[in-house]
């Protein structure tokens, strides 16, 4: 009898270990490749970079960014408090993206959630920081989880002309998404210096990778891509800053778009605007800010400052709503953005995930806040649409909504791993 019990324990332990091994099998690949070990040509370029010093990339702007190694001890207690405020109170509605051709002479953007955005500029399509996985983590079992499904599956995306990445953090560079795009799209990946090593490990051919240092440019499909500065950091392991981070200028014959990636505010936005602007559209991060890391994530008011420095005409906020990455309430970024935009006469558009924004048809300055009137912010007027139910109201009756606790069954509903 005792022998049977021992055998069962051994078998159960073996099954647990096998399951753990299966669950963690992709983690080594998720960590990517150290670029200084990826080949002499890339290593030589990295070492020549003005942003590379003493074995790592740095923020060269005055007032070097303080990069947290982890949550400050003083914040640990706060993580357990007010957790419900850091999540939407109800389902976030989705919209089915348009399937028509991109405007031949304009700028249109489709925000898929967090930073993932499709920008259509003068007949071409650029996909920024695509992340389709359910969690932003090296494993699918722990880490920040989506608050809403993706509005469209990867295999339903239109053909794109370029895929641009800002840096290698998990909420901006997703291995499963890259592998799927490598199979379903033909476009090149345009990335900051060093990130090509990750892509090569994940199966992307070298001829499809364009790596740029700050102030370098490349032309793809008739669009000019310029790698520009950002105040941030990089790393998919405990080793930091062995790949470069950055922002992107995308310029067509007459239209220009700026994507900030992740960044703290810095004075260099004025120089980017003078050299490359003005911009018909800016994609500015407004979430995941904290007093504990003010140098690496701008807050909504700083996003407006940067937009004005750049000479932006329309501001589309990104880097909010999809994942909880900081302690601020879920709707606070867009509420603060609306108030600042209204006070400073800045045009903003706050779309739902999957909804298209036509930069030329955006609201006038006197109607800051996208579809909202000057008297109400996006989160105030669209409490239900943005996942916050007003007192006394029930769930919204919208075919794109799902009931709490049930899987979304509309098009593009899962938001799980897109496949390896």
């Amino acid at each position: 009898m005792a022998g049977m019990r021992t055998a069962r324990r051994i078998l159960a332990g073996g099954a647990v270990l096998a399951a753990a091994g299966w669950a963690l099998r992709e983690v080594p690949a998720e960590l990517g490749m150290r670029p200084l070990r990826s080949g002499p040509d890339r290593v030589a370029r990295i070492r020549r970079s003005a942003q590379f010093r003493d074995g790592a990339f740095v923020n060269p702007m005055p007032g070097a960014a303080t990069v947290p190694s982890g949550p400050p001890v003083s914040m640990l207690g706060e993580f357990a408090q007010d957790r419900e405020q850091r999540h939407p109170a109800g389902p976030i509605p989705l919209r089915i993206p348009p399937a028509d051709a991109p405007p031949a002479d304009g700028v249109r953007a489709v925000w898929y959630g967090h930073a993932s955005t499709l920008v259509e500029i003068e007949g071409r399509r650029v996909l920024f920081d695509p992340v389709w996985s359910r969690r932003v983590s090296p494993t699918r079992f722990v880490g920040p989880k989506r608050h809403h499904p993706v509005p469209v599956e990867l295999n339903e995306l239109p053909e794109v002309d370029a895929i641009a990445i800002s840096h290698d953090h998990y909420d901006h560079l997703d291995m499963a998404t890259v592998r799927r795009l490598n199979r379903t799209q033909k476009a090149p990946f345009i990335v900051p210096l060093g990130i090509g090593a990750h892509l090569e490990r994940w199966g992307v051919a070298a001829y499809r990778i364009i790596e740029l240092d700050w102030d370098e440019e490349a032309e793809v499909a008739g669009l000019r891509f310029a790698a520009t500065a950002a105040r941030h950091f990089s790393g998919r392991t405990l080793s930091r800053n062995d790949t470069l981070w950055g922002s992107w200028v995308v310029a067509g014959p007459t239209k220009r778009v700026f994507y900030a990636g992740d960044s703290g505010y810095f004075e260099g936005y004025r120089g980017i605007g003078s050299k490359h602007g003005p911009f018909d559209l800016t994609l500015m991060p407004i979430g995941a800010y904290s007093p504990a890391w003010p140098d690496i994530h701008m807050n909504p008011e700083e996003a407006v400052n940067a937009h004005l420095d750049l000479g932006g005409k329309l501001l589309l906020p990104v880097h909010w709503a999809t994942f909880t990455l900081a302690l601020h309430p879920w709707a606070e970024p867009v509420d603060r953005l609306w108030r600042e935009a209204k006070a400073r006469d800045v045009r903003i558009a706050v779309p739902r995930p999957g909804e298209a924004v036509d930069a030329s048809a955006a609201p006038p300055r006197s109607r800051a806040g996208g579809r909202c009137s000057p008297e109400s912010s996006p989160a105030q007027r669209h409490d239900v649409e943005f996942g916050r139910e007003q007192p006394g109201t029930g769930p919204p009756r919208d075919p794109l909504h799902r009931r709490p606790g049930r899987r979304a069954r509309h098009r593009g509903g899962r938001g799980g791993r897109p496949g390896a």
Side-chain angles (χ1 to χ4, degrees):
M1 251 343 240
M4 289 292 292
R5 285 196 296 269
T6 300
R8 289 194 194 99
R9 290 193 191 102
I10 293 173
L11 289 173
V16 169
L17 290 174
W22 177 260
L24 299 175
R25 71 193 187 283
E26 292 286 6
V27 170
E30 287 273 9
L31 302 180
M33 169 69 73
R34 300 292 299 274
L36 290 180
R37 302 174 184 171
S38 64
D41 293 340
R42 181 177 289 112
V43 170
R45 286 194 65 199
I46 289 174
R47 295 193 181 281
R48 288 196 303 267
S49 171
Q51 282 64 248
F52 191 80
R53 302 174 191 169
D54 300 322
F57 287 100
V58 299
N59 289 292
M61 59 279 295
T66 300
V67 177
S69 58
V73 175
S74 60
M75 292 180 62
L76 294 180
E78 298 180 46
F79 278 103
Q81 300 174 6
D82 302 321
R83 295 182 65 181
E84 290 185 1
Q85 293 187 25
R86 298 195 290 274
H87 296 75
I92 298 173
L94 309 181
R95 294 293 180 265
I96 296 176
D100 58 333
D105 56 358
V107 174
R108 185 171 67 178
V110 179
W111 178 61
Y112 297 121
H114 197 57
S116 303
T117 310
L118 179 71
V119 170
E120 299 173 330
I121 175 171
E122 298 187 273
R124 301 297 186 182
R125 291 188 174 106
V126 181
L127 182 61
F128 287 104
D129 283 355
V131 173
W132 257 247
S133 289
R134 186 166 178 256
R135 294 185 186 270
V136 284
S137 164
T139 172
R140 68 186 68 185
F141 299 103
V142 296
K145 184 171 63 174
R146 283 183 172 274
H147 296 314
H148 65 82
V150 288
V152 64
E153 297 293 349
L154 276 175
N155 61 3
E156 296 173 332
L157 284 179
E159 184 175 352
V160 302
D161 296 285
I163 302 165
I165 306 296
S166 64
H167 63 296
D168 71 358
H169 287 160
Y170 290 94
D171 59 321
H172 293 258
L173 180 65
D174 178 47
M175 181 185 75
T177 303
V178 167
R179 285 178 166 177
R180 187 69 176 273
L181 290 172
N182 189 39
R183 296 196 297 265
T184 60
Q185 297 280 347
K186 299 178 181 178
F189 291 81
I190 306 176
V191 300
L193 193 55
I195 292 180
H198 297 325
L199 302 187
E200 288 178 355
R201 178 171 186 179
W202 299 338
V204 180
Y207 74 86
R208 287 186 61 182
I209 301 171
I210 301 172
E211 288 182 78
L212 298 180
D213 198 351
W214 292 355
D215 298 321
E216 291 183 343
E217 298 184 0
E219 184 171 323
V220 176
L223 299 174
R224 178 175 62 88
F225 289 80
T228 45
R231 191 177 189 179
H232 202 54
F233 68 108
S234 67
R236 297 178 72 84
T237 66
L238 296 178
S239 178
R240 297 281 180 84
N241 298 343
D242 53 3
T243 64
L244 187 59
W245 50 93
S247 56
W248 290 105
V249 170
V250 182
T254 63
K255 303 295 183 181
R256 296 180 180 87
V257 172
F258 178 80
Y259 172 53
D262 268 4
S263 181
Y265 176 81
F266 66 104
E267 297 293 334
Y269 287 118
R270 291 192 181 94
I272 295 172
S274 297
K275 183 176 181 180
H276 299 285
F279 295 98
D280 299 276
L281 177 69
T282 69
L283 309 176
M284 304 303 299
I286 65 166
Y289 49 83
S290 170
W293 48 81
D295 299 328
I296 59 171
H297 279 159
M298 67 180 75
N299 61 39
E301 293 80 12
E302 291 170 326
V304 172
N305 281 341
H307 170 82
L308 293 172
D309 289 347
L310 290 159
K313 298 177 183 178
L314 177 69
L315 188 159
L316 193 156
V318 298
H319 206 266
W320 81 287
T322 305
F323 302 105
T324 294
L325 303 176
L327 295 178
H328 59 68
W330 178 82
E332 182 183 280
V334 75
D335 283 339
R336 287 174 58 173
L337 175 71
W338 179 85
R339 288 193 295 268
E340 187 71 7
K342 182 175 183 290
R344 303 184 69 178
D345 198 26
V346 168
R347 295 169 61 221
I348 66 173
V350 184
R352 303 165 185 83
E355 187 173 8
V357 171
D358 187 335
S360 63
R365 292 182 185 275
S366 61
R367 294 179 60 82
R371 294 172 178 75
C372 305
S373 70
E375 290 74 32
S376 61
S377 77
Q380 289 169 338
R381 181 170 176 182
H382 294 297
D383 280 347
V384 172
E385 286 94 335
F386 282 94
R388 298 168 59 203
E389 295 180 15
Q390 296 175 337
T393 64
R397 296 182 180 179
D398 187 312
L400 292 178
H401 282 80
R402 60 183 174 89
R403 295 177 184 174
R406 295 184 62 186
R407 183 183 297 274
R409 296 191 180 277
H410 52 77
R411 183 183 180 201
R414 290 193 302 279
R417 289 263 170 172

